[in-house]
C-alpha cells in the first residue's frame, strides 16, 4: 500500500526557531499539497505544486512560510521564524492530478511552538 | 466564492441508528465531490468519491445538484464509525490539476 511519508511526526520548538517539515509523495504522483489543521480553522490549504512547480501558495503567510519541491521525491515546508500561533498539524497530500482518484494524505507533522 | 458547509460540528447517534452527515457546497462550475474520514489522531483517508458511485463501509453519498448538496449516509451506525468526516469538493484549478477544499468537518460519535 503506497504511502505519503512525512517527517518528523512531532516537533516541539521554541518561538523564533526555524522549522522544516518534509514530505515524500507517492512515487509517480506529480501533484503535492500542504494543509494545516487546527481546531479553530479546520483544514486550510497552504500551497500546492504540480510537476514541482508551485501553482498556488496564497493560503500561506509569505513573510514566514516557504514551500519548495527540490526534486520529485521531496517537498518541504519551512517556517522561519516560528510563532506559537503556528502550532498545528501539517499534512502533506499527493496525487496524480486525475480527480477521480482523489489524493492520498500523509500522517502529518504535529508542530508545537512554545 | 467557492464554499463548502458542514452545518453540524458534532453529531451523536446510537449504535444501529441511521446517520446522515450534511454537506452543502457553493461552487462555480461542477466540482467533483469527495468525503474524507479521519479517525482519532490519524491521517485523512479517502472514504468515497461521487464519480465512482461507490459504497464504502456501508456509507453512500448522493449528489443533489439542485440543492448543491452531497450528504453522507449510512443506514446503521457502528461504533467504529466514530471519527471526523470532511466533505471536500475538488475544482479544476488549471495546469491539469484539481484543488481540494475541505469543510470544517463533522465529528460523528456513535454511542454503544
Amino acid at each position: 500500500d503506497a504511502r505519503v511519508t512525512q517527517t518528523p511526526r512531532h516537533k516541539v520548538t521554541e518561538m523564533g526557531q526555524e522549522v522544516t517539515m518534509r514530505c515524500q509523495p507517492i512515487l509517480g504522483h506529480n501533484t503535492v499539497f500542504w494543509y494545516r489543521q487546527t481546531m479553530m480553522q479546520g483544514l486550510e490549504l497552504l500551497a500546492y505544486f504540480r510537476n514541482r512547480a508551485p501553482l498556488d501558495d496564497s493560503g500561506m503567510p509569505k513573510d514566514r512560510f516557504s514551500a519548495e519541491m527540490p526534486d520529485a521525491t521531496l517537498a518541504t515546508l519551512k517556517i522561519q521564524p516560528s510563532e506559537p500561533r503556528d502550532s498545528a498539524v501539517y499534512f502533506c497530500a499527493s496525487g496524480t492530478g486525475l480527480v477521480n482518484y482523489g489524493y492520498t494524505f500523509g500522517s502529518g507533522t504535529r508542530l508545537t511552538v512554545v | 466564492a467557492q464554499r463548502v458547509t458542514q452545518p453540524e460540528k458534532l453529531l451523536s447517534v446510537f449504535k444501529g441508528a441511521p446517520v446522515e452527515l450534511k454537506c452543502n457546497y457553493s461552487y462555480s462550475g461542477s466540482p467533483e465531490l469527495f468525503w474524507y474520514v479521519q479517525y482519532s489522531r490519524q491521517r485523512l483517508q479517502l472514504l468515497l468519491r461521487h464519480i465512482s458511485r461507490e459504497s464504502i463501509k456501508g456509507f453512500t453519498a448522493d449528489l443533489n445538484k439542485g440543492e448543491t448538496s452531497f450528504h453522507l449516509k449510512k443506514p446503521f451506525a457502528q461504533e467504529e464509525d466514530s471519527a471526523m468526516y470532511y466533505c471536500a469538493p475538488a475544482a479544476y484549478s488549471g495546469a491539469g490539476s484539481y484543488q481540494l477544499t475541505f469543510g470544517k468537518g463533522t465529528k460523528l460519535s456513535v454511542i454503544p
Side-chain angles (χ1 to χ4, degrees):
Chain A
D1 206 15
R3 293 200 166 204
V4 175
T5 303
Q6 288 188 248
T7 56
R9 290 292 304 273
H10 303 273
K11 176 72 176 179
V12 180
T13 191
E14 290 184 347
M15 182 173 64
Q17 296 297 305
E18 177 179 297
V19 176
T20 298
M21 291 168 272
R22 293 176 174 80
C23 168
Q24 181 178 352
I26 291 172
L27 191 64
H29 282 190
N30 59 4
T31 306
V32 175
F33 295 81
W34 282 105
Y35 287 89
R36 176 171 61 185
Q37 185 180 40
T38 61
M39 289 289 289
M40 294 299 293
Q41 300 298 328
L43 279 156
E44 302 171 279
L45 177 65
L46 296 176
Y48 72 103
F49 296 78
R50 177 153 175 95
N51 294 325
R52 296 176 54 203
L55 288 189
D56 187 354
D57 60 1
S58 58
M60 205 164 65
K62 301 287 193 309
D63 55 339
R64 298 183 300 107
F65 285 61
S66 62
E68 294 179 346
M69 278 201 76
D71 62 62
T73 64
L74 177 65
T76 62
L77 180 66
K78 188 175 295 185
I79 308 174
Q80 168 63 21
S82 57
E83 297 181 1
R85 59 180 167 152
D86 301 329
S87 297
V89 181
Y90 291 81
F91 286 103
C92 173
S94 73
T96 62
L98 296 174
V99 68
N100 49 317
Y101 294 108
Y103 293 106
T104 303
F105 280 75
S107 297
T109 293
R110 184 173 295 273
L111 174 66
T112 304
V113 183
V114 299
Chain B
Q2 298 175 338
R3 191 169 64 246
V4 54
T5 303
Q6 293 180 250
E8 303 133 331
K9 290 184 69 173
L10 174 64
L11 182 64
S12 296
V13 300
F14 285 101
K15 178 181 172 181
V19 175
E20 183 179 52
L21 300 166
K22 292 184 168 56
C23 172
N24 290 89
Y25 63 92
S26 173
Y27 267 69
S28 56
S30 298
E32 294 300 334
L33 291 145
F34 300 84
W35 276 96
Y36 277 78
V37 61
Q38 186 179 29
Y39 300 101
S40 180
R41 289 182 168 251
Q42 294 187 23
R43 71 183 71 202
L44 277 87
Q45 302 173 39
L46 178 62
L47 180 62
L48 58 78
R49 314 165 261 204
H50 165 254
I51 198 168
S52 304
R53 302 285 198 276
E54 57 203 344
S55 173
I56 305 293
K57 299 183 180 182
F59 285 96
T60 59
D62 293 323
L63 174 62
N64 186 321
K65 289 189 176 181
E67 296 180 358
T68 59
S69 67
F70 188 55
H71 302 327
L72 183 69
K73 299 178 183 179
K74 184 170 183 177
F76 308 104
Q78 304 298 315
E79 288 179 66
E80 56 265 29
D81 296 330
S82 296
M84 282 290 291
Y85 291 82
Y86 293 93
C87 179
Y92 186 68
S93 57
S97 67
Y98 286 78
Q99 178 178 322
L100 270 180
T101 301
F102 287 87
K104 296 283 192 196
T106 297
K107 183 174 182 179
L108 175 64
S109 178
V110 180
I111 305 163

